[in-house]
């Protein structure tokens, strides 16, 4: 079974109204055709934009070789339209290294004639919700429709079962066994069900590997769920230019740990950090997962977090 977490490689659960449409672009392909990339929240009109891109490519005598996906989801109806267009055209789909495809995006990925997953990429499923993120009678009917459509796409019953029972504010991330059952070609280190490692501070696991980040987040999410009545402690705060997603957990010595993902408003990951607090929670040390650089922040007299001087 995939882990039930909301913060994986990059993402928050979608299900409410996206703040903007997905970014859909054409790129030169490797075999004389084109590649179409779709990133960010899926919203109304995206299927029309996608269809125009395909038509323009075909008019220029170029085939669409593959659709590259990086999205936490969005409007279910629009996701179904995109998936139908891809299935009817017999186009392949992929989720690139370190990218994510969840919720409505999952249906688009599943529609691919052939499907590819890059190293450290994640694919996740959950129930539908209404525009306010709530589970209602209408969203329940939408979940049933989504499950029926997924079956038409050839999604295994075991994955559909997880989809319909996972709350809309959570995500089940599919493991390598699930993905292979879907016929997905896996690149790099396959996603697997992870064991919990609590022998020391999780921050010490930091490395440049996206797969290692997945392990770190899975471990932290399991700890957080165990420590918070079965649900991981998650937070999301958006500012003018970015959104910060956080996952809180407690270390063995009682101190607070924090997994952080910072994204731009299109859902692109800008930075991943692992942080640990001191016992009084007024100082924290963070390490950038990709670069390994560290910084220390402290609370000032006003209670605001500011960069602390090097020791």
């Amino acid at each position: 079974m995939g882990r039930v977490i909301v913060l994986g490689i990059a993402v928050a659960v979608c299900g409410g109204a996206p703040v903007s449409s997905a970014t859909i672009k054409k790129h030169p392909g490797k075999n004389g055709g084109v590649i179409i990339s779709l990133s960010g929240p899926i919203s109304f009109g995206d299927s029309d934009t996608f269809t125009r891109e395909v038509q323009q490519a075909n008019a220029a005598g170029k085939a669409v070789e593959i659709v590259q996906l990086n999205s936490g989801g969005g409007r279910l109806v629009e996701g179904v339209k995109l998936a139908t267009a891809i299935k009817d055209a017999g186009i392949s789909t992929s989720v690139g290294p370190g990218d994510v495809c969840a919720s409505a995006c999952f249906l688009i990925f599943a529609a691919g004639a052939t499907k590819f997953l890059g190293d450290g990429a994640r694919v996740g499923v959950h129930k539908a919700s209404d525009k306010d993120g709530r589970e209602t009678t209408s969203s329940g009917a939408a979940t049933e429709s989504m499950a029926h459509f997924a079956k038409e796409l050839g999604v295994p019953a075991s994955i559909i079962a997880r989809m319909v029972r996972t709350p809309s504010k959570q995500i089940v991330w599919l493991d390598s066994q699930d993905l292979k059952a879907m016929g997905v070609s896996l690149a790099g280190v396959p996603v697997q069900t992870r064991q919990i490692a609590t022998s020391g501070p999780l921050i010490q696991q930091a490395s440049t590997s996206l797969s290692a980040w997945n392990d770190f987040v899975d471990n932290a999410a399991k700890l957080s769920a165990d420590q918070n009545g079965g649900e991981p402690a998650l937070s999301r705060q958006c500012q003018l230019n970015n959104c910060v997603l956080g996952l809180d957990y407690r270390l063995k010595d009682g101190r607070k740990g924090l997994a952080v993902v910072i994204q731009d408003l299109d859902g692109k990951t800008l930075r991943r950090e692992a942080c640990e607090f001191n016992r009084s929670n007024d100082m924290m040390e963070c390490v950038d997962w990709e670069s390994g650089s560290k910084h220390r922040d402290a609370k000032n007299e006003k209670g605001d977090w500011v960069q602390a001087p090097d020791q």
Side-chain angles (χ1 to χ4, degrees), residues 178-247:
D178 296 323
L179 295 164
K180 288 177 180 178
M182 287 180 61
V184 178
S185 297
L186 304 177
V189 180
V191 179
Q192 299 175 343
T193 301
R194 278 96 180 189
Q195 300 298 315
I196 303 303
T198 59
S199 59
L202 296 183
I203 196 171
Q204 293 179 0
Q205 300 176 17
S207 75
T208 58
S209 168
L210 288 170
S211 296
W213 171 261
N214 295 343
D215 288 339
F216 165 64
V217 171
D218 274 353
N219 292 341
K222 177 60 168 64
L223 287 175
S224 182
D226 290 345
Q227 295 161 357
N228 292 280
E231 296 290 340
L234 298 153
S235 62
R236 176 185 171 101
Q237 182 177 1
C238 291
Q239 301 172 346
L240 182 61
N241 296 319
N242 59 51
C243 291
V244 180
L245 293 77
L247 169 63

Side-chain angles (χ1 to χ4, degrees), residues 3 18 28 35 50 52 69 112-113 148 211 225 248 251 262-263 273:
R3 295 285 185 208
I35 295 170
F50 174 79
R52 285 196 299 271
L69 302 167
H148 180 73
S211 296
D248 292 345
L251 300 168
I262 301 173
Q263 299 175 319
E273 290 187 347

Side-chain angles (χ1 to χ4, degrees), residues 26 33-34 36 51-64:
K26 289 196 298 287
V34 299
I36 296 180
T51 299
R52 285 196 299 271
E53 295 287 356
V54 173
Q55 291 173 343
Q56 290 173 7
N58 292 340
K62 296 180 180 295
V64 178

Side-chain angles (χ1 to χ4, degrees), residues 25 38 53 71 85 104 148 208 210 264-265 274 307:
K25 296 181 179 179
L38 183 153
E53 295 287 356
S71 171
H148 180 73
T208 58
L210 288 170
D264 64 19
L265 297 183
Q307 187 170 350

Side-chain angles (χ1 to χ4, degrees), residues 70-149:
N70 183 20
S71 171
R75 296 288 186 180
L76 176 58
V77 172
E78 206 68 15
V80 170
K81 289 180 180 179
L82 284 159
T84 300
I86 287 173
K87 180 183 179 183
D88 290 347
I91 302 173
S92 298
T93 54
S94 71
V95 184
D99 290 342
V100 69
C101 180
S103 191
C105 181
F106 168 76
L107 297 177
I108 303 171
F109 178 66
T114 53
K115 295 170 278 290
F116 303 90
L117 197 72
D119 184 22
R122 281 295 181 99
V123 176
V125 298
H126 65 166
K127 292 181 181 178
S129 65
D130 68 9
K131 64 183 180 64
D132 297 317
R134 299 173 302 182
E135 291 186 23
T136 63
T137 301
S138 296
S139 72
T143 296
E144 291 182 10
S145 297
M146 181 168 60
H148 180 73
F149 184 62

